[in-house]
Every structure is written in C-alpha cells, then in structure tokens.
C-alpha cells in the first residue's frame, strides 16, 4: 500500500509522468487511490490486456 501512496505522490509532484498498473494490481491500487485527498486529479486510461495508465491533471475532473 505504501508503495502506491509513494507512486501517487511522485506522480502529483511531477517526478513521474504516468503510473502503469497491471490488472492483478488494480484492486490494491484502487483502494489507495480513492482515499487520496486529490483523487479527482488522477486520470486512469484503460489499455489492452487490463493494463491501466494513470496521469495527474492540474484541473480535477467533475
């Protein structure tokens, strides 16, 4: 869990451009993501084979 919190922090700070999550990691990652205070700033995009790419946006989604 702490690994995902650090990844989200790095993404938010611009240290990472994106986070790639495999389908096996999704539920564990999502549990951390939805509790994050800036949850609506993270955008997930589904790719082939259940892979997800998360990016950080300055403007939160509605």
């Amino acid at each position: 869990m702490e690994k995902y919190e650090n990844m989200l922090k790095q993404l938010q700070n611009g240290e990472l451009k994106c986070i790639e999550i495999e389908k096996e990691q999704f539920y564990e990652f999502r549990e951390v993501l939805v509790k994050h205070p800036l949850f609506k700033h993270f955008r997930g995009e589904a790719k082939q084979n259940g892979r997800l790419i998360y990016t950080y946006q300055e403007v939160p989604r509605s």
Side-chain angles (χ1 to χ4, degrees):
M1 298 286 191
E2 191 173 316
K3 171 178 92 171
Y4 297 129
E5 290 172 4
N6 289 335
M7 290 170 74
L8 289 172
K9 190 174 206 172
Q10 289 177 329
L11 185 61
Q12 178 185 347
N13 293 336
E15 296 172 35
L16 295 175
K17 188 174 183 176
C18 66
I19 298 174
E20 289 191 34
I21 301 295
E22 299 296 328
K23 64 182 175 183
E24 296 81 17
Q25 303 168 309
F26 174 71
Y27 288 110
E28 188 175 342
F29 176 77
R30 186 179 183 282
E31 188 175 325
V32 174
L33 178 64
V34 297
K35 292 178 183 175
H36 195 282
L38 298 175
F39 168 66
K40 292 196 172 208
H41 287 266
F42 296 98
R43 179 176 182 262
E45 185 178 338
K47 298 293 185 179
Q48 290 182 326
N49 300 321
R51 192 169 48 104
L52 294 150
I53 307 292
Y54 284 91
T55 55
Y56 182 80
Q57 301 177 325
E58 290 297 325
V59 179
R61 57 186 159 78
S62 54

Coordinates of all heavy atoms in Angstrom, one line a residue:
M1 N 0.8 -1.2 0.0 CA 0.0 0.0 0.0 C 0.9 1.3 0.0 O 0.6 2.2 -0.7 CB -0.9 0.0 1.2 CG -1.9 -1.1 1.3 SD -3.2 -0.9 0.1 CE -4.3 -2.1 0.6
E2 N 1.9 1.3 0.8 CA 2.8 2.4 0.9 C 3.5 2.7 -0.4 O 3.7 3.8 -0.8 CB 3.8 2.2 2.0 CG 4.6 3.5 2.3 CD 5.5 3.3 3.5 OE1 5.0 2.6 4.5 OE2 6.6 3.7 3.5
K3 N 3.7 1.6 -1.2 CA 4.3 1.7 -2.5 C 3.5 2.6 -3.4 O 3.9 3.5 -4.1 CB 4.6 0.3 -3.1 CG 5.0 0.3 -4.5 CD 5.2 -1.1 -5.0 CE 4.0 -1.6 -5.6 NZ 4.2 -2.9 -6.3
Y4 N 2.2 2.3 -3.4 CA 1.2 3.0 -4.2 C 1.1 4.5 -3.8 O 0.9 5.4 -4.6 CB -0.1 2.3 -4.3 CG 0.0 1.0 -4.9 CD1 -0.6 -0.1 -4.3 CD2 0.6 0.8 -6.1 CE1 -0.5 -1.4 -4.8 CE2 0.7 -0.5 -6.7 CZ 0.1 -1.6 -6.0 OH 0.2 -2.8 -6.6
E5 N 1.1 4.7 -2.5 CA 1.0 6.1 -2.0 C 2.2 6.9 -2.4 O 2.0 8.1 -2.9 CB 0.9 6.1 -0.4 CG -0.4 5.5 0.1 CD -0.3 5.3 1.6 OE1 0.7 5.7 2.3 OE2 -1.3 4.8 2.1
N6 N 3.4 6.3 -2.4 CA 4.6 7.0 -2.9 C 4.5 7.2 -4.4 O 4.9 8.3 -4.9 CB 5.8 6.1 -2.6 CG 6.1 6.2 -1.1 OD1 5.8 7.1 -0.4 ND2 6.8 5.1 -0.6
M7 N 4.0 6.3 -5.1 CA 3.9 6.5 -6.6 C 2.9 7.6 -6.9 O 3.2 8.4 -7.8 CB 3.3 5.2 -7.2 CG 4.4 4.0 -7.2 SD 3.7 2.5 -7.7 CE 3.5 2.7 -9.5
L8 N 1.8 7.7 -6.2 CA 0.8 8.8 -6.4 C 1.5 10.1 -6.1 O 1.2 11.1 -6.8 CB -0.4 8.6 -5.6 CG -1.3 7.4 -6.1 CD1 -2.4 7.2 -5.1 CD2 -1.9 7.7 -7.5
K9 N 2.2 10.2 -5.0 CA 2.9 11.4 -4.6 C 3.9 11.8 -5.6 O 4.0 13.0 -6.0 CB 3.6 11.2 -3.2 CG 4.1 12.4 -2.6 CD 4.7 12.1 -1.2 CE 4.6 13.4 -0.4 NZ 5.0 13.1 1.0
Q10 N 4.7 10.9 -6.2 CA 5.6 11.2 -7.2 C 4.9 11.7 -8.5 O 5.4 12.6 -9.2 CB 6.5 10.0 -7.5 CG 7.5 9.6 -6.5 CD 8.2 8.3 -6.8 OE1 7.7 7.5 -7.4 NE2 9.5 8.3 -6.3
L11 N 3.8 11.1 -8.8 CA 3.0 11.5 -10.0 C 2.5 12.9 -9.8 O 2.6 13.8 -10.7 CB 1.9 10.5 -10.2 CG 1.1 10.7 -11.5 CD1 1.9 10.6 -12.7 CD2 -0.1 9.7 -11.5
Q12 N 2.0 13.2 -8.6 CA 1.5 14.5 -8.3 C 2.6 15.6 -8.4 O 2.4 16.7 -8.8 CB 0.9 14.5 -6.9 CG 0.3 15.8 -6.4 CD -0.2 15.7 -5.0 OE1 -0.4 14.6 -4.5 NE2 -0.4 16.8 -4.4
N13 N 3.8 15.2 -7.9 CA 4.9 16.2 -7.8 C 5.6 16.3 -9.2 O 6.5 17.1 -9.3 CB 5.9 15.8 -6.8 CG 5.4 15.9 -5.4 OD1 4.5 16.6 -5.1 ND2 5.9 15.1 -4.5
G14 N 5.2 15.5 -10.2 CA 5.9 15.6 -11.5 C 7.1 14.8 -11.6 O 7.8 14.8 -12.6
E15 N 7.4 14.0 -10.6 CA 8.6 13.1 -10.7 C 8.4 12.0 -11.6 O 9.3 11.4 -12.2 CB 9.0 12.6 -9.3 CG 9.4 13.7 -8.3 CD 9.5 13.2 -6.9 OE1 10.0 12.0 -6.7 OE2 9.2 13.9 -5.9
L16 N 7.1 11.5 -11.7 CA 6.7 10.5 -12.7 C 5.7 11.1 -13.7 O 4.9 12.0 -13.3 CB 6.0 9.4 -12.0 CG 6.8 8.5 -11.0 CD1 5.9 7.5 -10.3 CD2 7.9 7.8 -11.7
K17 N 5.8 10.7 -14.9 CA 4.9 11.2 -16.0 C 3.6 10.4 -15.9 O 2.5 11.0 -16.1 CB 5.6 11.0 -17.3 CG 4.8 11.7 -18.4 CD 5.6 11.6 -19.7 CE 4.9 12.3 -20.8 NZ 5.7 12.3 -22.1
C18 N 3.7 9.1 -15.6 CA 2.5 8.3 -15.5 C 2.8 7.1 -14.6 O 4.0 6.8 -14.4 CB 2.0 7.8 -16.9 SG 3.1 6.7 -17.8
I19 N 1.7 6.4 -14.2 CA 1.9 5.1 -13.5 C 1.2 4.0 -14.3 O 0.0 4.2 -14.7 CB 1.2 5.2 -12.1 CG1 1.8 6.3 -11.2 CG2 1.2 3.9 -11.4 CD1 1.1 6.5 -9.9
E20 N 1.8 2.9 -14.5 CA 1.2 1.8 -15.2 C 0.8 0.7 -14.1 O 1.7 0.3 -13.3 CB 2.2 1.2 -16.2 CG 2.4 2.0 -17.4 CD 3.2 1.3 -18.5 OE1 3.0 0.1 -18.7 OE2 4.0 2.0 -19.2
I21 N -0.4 0.3 -14.2 CA -0.9 -0.7 -13.2 C -1.4 -1.9 -14.0 O -2.2 -1.7 -15.0 CB -2.1 -0.1 -12.4 CG1 -1.6 1.2 -11.6 CG2 -2.7 -1.1 -11.5 CD1 -0.6 0.9 -10.5
E22 N -1.0 -3.0 -13.7 CA -1.5 -4.3 -14.3 C -2.8 -4.7 -13.6 O -3.1 -4.3 -12.5 CB -0.5 -5.4 -14.2 CG 0.9 -5.0 -14.8 CD 0.8 -4.9 -16.3 OE1 -0.1 -5.5 -17.0 OE2 1.5 -4.1 -16.9
K23 N -3.6 -5.5 -14.3 CA -4.9 -5.9 -13.8 C -4.8 -6.6 -12.5 O -5.7 -6.5 -11.6 CB -5.7 -6.7 -14.8 CG -5.1 -8.0 -15.2 CD -5.9 -8.7 -16.2 CE -5.3 -10.0 -16.6 NZ -6.1 -10.6 -17.7
E24 N -3.7 -7.3 -12.2 CA -3.5 -8.0 -10.9 C -3.3 -7.0 -9.8 O -3.6 -7.4 -8.6 CB -2.3 -9.0 -11.0 CG -2.5 -10.1 -12.0 CD -2.2 -9.7 -13.4 OE1 -1.5 -8.6 -13.7 OE2 -2.6 -10.4 -14.4
Q25 N -2.9 -5.9 -10.0 CA -2.6 -4.9 -9.0 C -3.8 -3.9 -8.8 O -3.8 -3.1 -7.8 CB -1.4 -4.0 -9.4 CG -0.1 -4.8 -9.7 CD 0.9 -3.9 -10.3 OE1 0.6 -3.2 -11.3 NE2 2.1 -3.8 -9.7
F26 N -4.7 -3.9 -9.7 CA -5.8 -2.9 -9.7 C -6.5 -2.7 -8.4 O -6.6 -1.5 -7.9 CB -6.8 -3.2 -10.9 CG -7.9 -2.2 -10.9 CD1 -7.7 -0.9 -11.2 CD2 -9.2 -2.6 -10.4 CE1 -8.8 0.0 -11.2 CE2 -10.2 -1.7 -10.4 CZ -10.0 -0.4 -10.8
Y27 N -7.0 -3.7 -7.8 CA -7.9 -3.5 -6.6 C -7.1 -3.0 -5.4 O -7.5 -2.1 -4.7 CB -8.6 -4.8 -6.2 CG -9.7 -5.1 -7.2 CD1 -9.6 -6.2 -8.1 CD2 -10.8 -4.3 -7.3 CE1 -10.6 -6.5 -9.0 CE2 -11.8 -4.6 -8.2 CZ -11.7 -5.7 -9.1 OH -12.7 -5.9 -10.0
E28 N -5.8 -3.4 -5.3 CA -5.0 -2.9 -4.2 C -4.6 -1.5 -4.5 O -4.7 -0.6 -3.6 CB -3.7 -3.8 -4.2 CG -2.9 -3.5 -3.0 CD -1.7 -4.4 -2.9 OE1 -1.7 -5.5 -3.5 OE2 -0.7 -4.0 -2.2
F29 N -4.3 -1.1 -5.7 CA -4.0 0.3 -6.1 C -5.2 1.2 -5.9 O -5.2 2.3 -5.4 CB -3.5 0.3 -7.5 CG -3.3 1.7 -8.0 CD1 -2.2 2.4 -7.6 CD2 -4.2 2.4 -8.8 CE1 -1.9 3.7 -8.0 CE2 -4.0 3.7 -9.3 CZ -2.8 4.3 -8.9
R30 N -6.4 0.7 -6.4 CA -7.6 1.5 -6.3 C -8.0 1.8 -4.8 O -8.5 2.9 -4.6 CB -8.8 0.7 -7.0 CG -10.0 1.6 -7.0 CD -11.1 0.8 -7.7 NE -12.3 1.6 -7.9 CZ -13.2 1.9 -6.9 NH1 -13.0 1.4 -5.7 NH2 -14.2 2.7 -7.1
E31 N -7.8 0.9 -3.9 CA -8.0 1.1 -2.5 C -7.3 2.4 -2.0 O -7.8 3.2 -1.3 CB -7.7 -0.1 -1.7 CG -8.1 -0.1 -0.3 CD -7.8 -1.4 0.4 OE1 -7.9 -2.4 -0.2 OE2 -7.5 -1.3 1.6
V32 N -6.0 2.5 -2.4 CA -5.2 3.6 -2.0 C -5.7 4.9 -2.8 O -5.8 6.0 -2.2 CB -3.7 3.4 -2.3 CG1 -2.9 4.6 -2.1 CG2 -3.2 2.2 -1.5
L33 N -5.9 4.7 -4.1 CA -6.3 5.9 -4.9 C -7.6 6.6 -4.4 O -7.6 7.8 -4.3 CB -6.5 5.4 -6.4 CG -6.9 6.5 -7.4 CD1 -5.8 7.6 -7.5 CD2 -7.2 5.8 -8.7
V34 N -8.6 5.9 -4.2 CA -9.9 6.5 -3.8 C -9.8 7.2 -2.4 O -10.6 8.1 -2.2 CB -11.1 5.5 -3.8 CG1 -11.3 5.0 -5.2 CG2 -10.9 4.4 -2.9
K35 N -8.9 6.9 -1.6 CA -8.7 7.5 -0.3 C -7.8 8.8 -0.4 O -7.7 9.5 0.5 CB -8.1 6.5 0.7 CG -9.0 5.4 1.1 CD -8.3 4.5 2.0 CE -9.2 3.3 2.3 NZ -8.5 2.3 3.2
H36 N -7.2 9.0 -1.5 CA -6.3 10.1 -1.7 C -7.1 11.4 -1.8 O -8.1 11.5 -2.4 CB -5.5 9.9 -3.0 CG -4.3 10.8 -3.1 ND1 -4.4 12.2 -3.4 CD2 -3.0 10.6 -3.0 CE1 -3.2 12.7 -3.5 NE2 -2.3 11.8 -3.2
P37 N -6.6 12.4 -1.0 CA -7.4 13.7 -1.0 C -7.5 14.4 -2.4 O -8.5 15.1 -2.6 CB -6.6 14.6 -0.1 CG -5.3 13.8 0.3 CD -5.4 12.5 -0.2
L38 N -6.6 14.1 -3.3 CA -6.7 14.7 -4.6 C -7.2 13.7 -5.7 O -6.8 13.7 -6.8 CB -5.4 15.3 -5.0 CG -4.9 16.4 -4.1 CD1 -3.5 16.9 -4.5 CD2 -5.8 17.6 -4.2
F39 N -8.0 12.8 -5.3 CA -8.5 11.6 -6.1 C -8.9 12.1 -7.5 O -8.6 11.5 -8.5 CB -9.6 10.9 -5.3 CG -10.4 9.9 -6.2 CD1 -9.8 8.8 -6.7 CD2 -11.7 10.2 -6.4 CE1 -10.5 7.9 -7.4 CE2 -12.4 9.3 -7.2 CZ -11.8 8.1 -7.7
K40 N -9.7 13.2 -7.6 CA -10.2 13.6 -8.8 C -9.2 14.2 -9.8 O -9.5 14.5 -10.9 CB -11.4 14.6 -8.6 CG -12.6 13.9 -8.0 CD -13.8 14.6 -8.1 CE -15.0 13.8 -7.7 NZ -16.2 14.2 -8.3
H41 N -8.0 14.4 -9.3 CA -6.9 14.9 -10.2 C -6.2 13.8 -11.0 O -5.5 14.1 -11.9 CB -5.9 15.6 -9.4 CG -6.4 17.0 -8.9 ND1 -6.1 18.1 -9.5 CD2 -7.1 17.3 -7.8 CE1 -6.6 19.2 -8.9 NE2 -7.2 18.7 -7.8
F42 N -6.5 12.5 -10.6 CA -5.8 11.4 -11.2 C -6.8 10.8 -12.3 O -8.0 10.6 -12.1 CB -5.5 10.3 -10.2 CG -4.5 10.8 -9.2 CD1 -4.8 11.2 -8.0 CD2 -3.1 10.8 -9.5 CE1 -3.9 11.6 -7.0 CE2 -2.2 11.2 -8.6 CZ -2.6 11.6 -7.4
R43 N -6.2 10.6 -13.5 CA -7.0 10.1 -14.6 C -6.5 8.8 -15.0 O -5.3 8.6 -15.3 CB -6.9 11.1 -15.8 CG -7.6 10.6 -17.0 CD -7.6 11.7 -18.1 NE -8.3 11.3 -19.2 CZ -7.8 10.7 -20.3 NH1 -6.5 10.5 -20.4 NH2 -8.6 10.4 -21.3
G44 N -7.4 7.8 -15.1 CA -7.0 6.5 -15.5 C -7.5 6.2 -16.9 O -8.6 6.5 -17.3
E45 N -6.6 5.5 -17.7 CA -7.0 5.2 -19.0 C -6.7 3.7 -19.2 O -5.6 3.2 -19.0 CB -6.1 6.0 -20.0 CG -6.5 5.8 -21.5 CD -5.6 6.7 -22.4 OE1 -5.1 7.7 -21.9 OE2 -5.5 6.3 -23.5
A46 N -7.7 2.9 -19.6 CA -7.6 1.5 -19.8 C -6.9 1.2 -21.2 O -7.2 1.8 -22.2 CB -9.0 0.9 -19.8
K47 N -6.0 0.2 -21.1 CA -5.3 -0.2 -22.3 C -5.6 -1.7 -22.5 O -6.3 -2.3 -21.7 CB -3.8 0.0 -22.1 CG -3.4 1.5 -22.0 CD -3.6 2.2 -23.2 CE -3.2 3.7 -23.1 NZ -3.4 4.4 -24.3
Q48 N -5.0 -2.3 -23.5 CA -5.2 -3.7 -23.8 C -4.7 -4.6 -22.6 O -3.7 -4.2 -21.9 CB -4.5 -4.1 -25.1 CG -5.1 -3.5 -26.3 CD -4.4 -4.0 -27.6 OE1 -3.2 -4.2 -27.6 NE2 -5.2 -4.1 -28.6
N49 N -5.3 -5.8 -22.5 CA -4.9 -6.8 -21.6 C -5.1 -6.3 -20.1 O -4.4 -6.8 -19.2 CB -3.5 -7.2 -21.8 CG -3.3 -7.9 -23.2 OD1 -4.2 -8.6 -23.6 ND2 -2.2 -7.6 -23.8
G50 N -6.0 -5.4 -19.8 CA -6.3 -5.0 -18.5 C -5.3 -4.0 -17.9 O -5.3 -3.8 -16.7
R51 N -4.4 -3.5 -18.6 CA -3.4 -2.5 -18.1 C -4.0 -1.1 -18.0 O -4.8 -0.8 -18.9 CB -2.2 -2.5 -19.1 CG -1.0 -1.8 -18.6 CD 0.2 -2.1 -19.5 NE -0.1 -1.9 -20.9 CZ 0.2 -0.8 -21.6 NH1 0.9 0.2 -21.1 NH2 -0.2 -0.7 -22.9
L52 N -3.7 -0.4 -17.0 CA -4.2 1.0 -16.8 C -3.0 1.9 -16.7 O -2.0 1.6 -16.1 CB -5.0 1.0 -15.5 CG -6.3 0.2 -15.6 CD1 -6.6 -0.3 -14.2 CD2 -7.4 1.0 -16.1
I53 N -3.2 3.1 -17.3 CA -2.2 4.2 -17.2 C -2.9 5.3 -16.5 O -3.9 5.9 -16.9 CB -1.8 4.7 -18.7 CG1 -1.4 3.5 -19.5 CG2 -0.8 5.8 -18.6 CD1 -0.1 2.8 -19.1
Y54 N -2.2 5.8 -15.4 CA -2.7 6.9 -14.6 C -1.8 8.1 -14.8 O -0.6 8.0 -14.8 CB -2.8 6.5 -13.1 CG -4.0 5.6 -12.8 CD1 -3.9 4.3 -12.8 CD2 -5.2 6.2 -12.5 CE1 -4.9 3.5 -12.5 CE2 -6.3 5.4 -12.2 CZ -6.1 4.0 -12.2 OH -7.2 3.2 -12.0
T55 N -2.5 9.3 -15.0 CA -1.8 10.5 -15.1 C -2.4 11.5 -14.1 O -3.4 11.3 -13.6 CB -1.9 11.1 -16.5 OG1 -3.2 11.2 -16.9 CG2 -1.1 10.2 -17.5
Y56 N -1.6 12.6 -13.9 CA -2.1 13.6 -12.9 C -2.5 14.8 -13.7 O -1.8 15.3 -14.6 CB -1.0 14.0 -11.9 CG -1.5 15.0 -10.9 CD1 -2.2 14.6 -9.8 CD2 -1.1 16.3 -11.1 CE1 -2.7 15.6 -8.9 CE2 -1.5 17.3 -10.1 CZ -2.3 16.9 -9.1 OH -2.7 17.8 -8.1
Q57 N -3.7 15.4 -13.4 CA -4.1 16.6 -14.1 C -4.2 17.7 -13.0 O -4.7 17.5 -11.9 CB -5.5 16.4 -14.7 CG -5.5 15.3 -15.7 CD -6.9 15.0 -16.3 OE1 -7.9 15.1 -15.5 NE2 -7.0 14.7 -17.5
E58 N -3.8 18.9 -13.4 CA -3.9 20.1 -12.5 C -5.4 20.4 -12.2 O -5.7 20.8 -11.1 CB -3.2 21.3 -13.1 CG -1.7 21.1 -13.2 CD -1.0 21.0 -11.9 OE1 -1.5 21.7 -10.9 OE2 -0.1 20.3 -11.8
V59 N -6.2 20.3 -13.2 CA -7.7 20.6 -13.0 C -8.4 19.3 -12.7 O -8.3 18.4 -13.5 CB -8.2 21.3 -14.3 CG1 -9.7 21.6 -14.1 CG2 -7.5 22.5 -14.6
P60 N -9.1 19.2 -11.6 CA -9.8 18.0 -11.3 C -11.0 17.7 -12.2 O -11.6 18.6 -12.8 CB -10.3 18.2 -9.9 CG -10.4 19.7 -9.7 CD -9.3 20.2 -10.6
R61 N -11.3 16.4 -12.4 CA -12.4 16.1 -13.3 C -13.7 16.4 -12.4 O -13.6 16.4 -11.2 CB -12.4 14.7 -13.7 CG -12.2 13.6 -12.6 CD -12.0 12.3 -13.2 NE -11.4 11.4 -12.2 CZ -12.1 10.8 -11.3 NH1 -13.4 11.0 -11.1 NH2 -11.5 10.0 -10.4
S62 N -14.8 16.5 -13.1 CA -16.0 16.8 -12.4 C -16.8 15.6 -12.1 O -16.5 14.5 -12.5 CB -16.9 17.8 -13.2 OG -17.1 17.3 -14.5

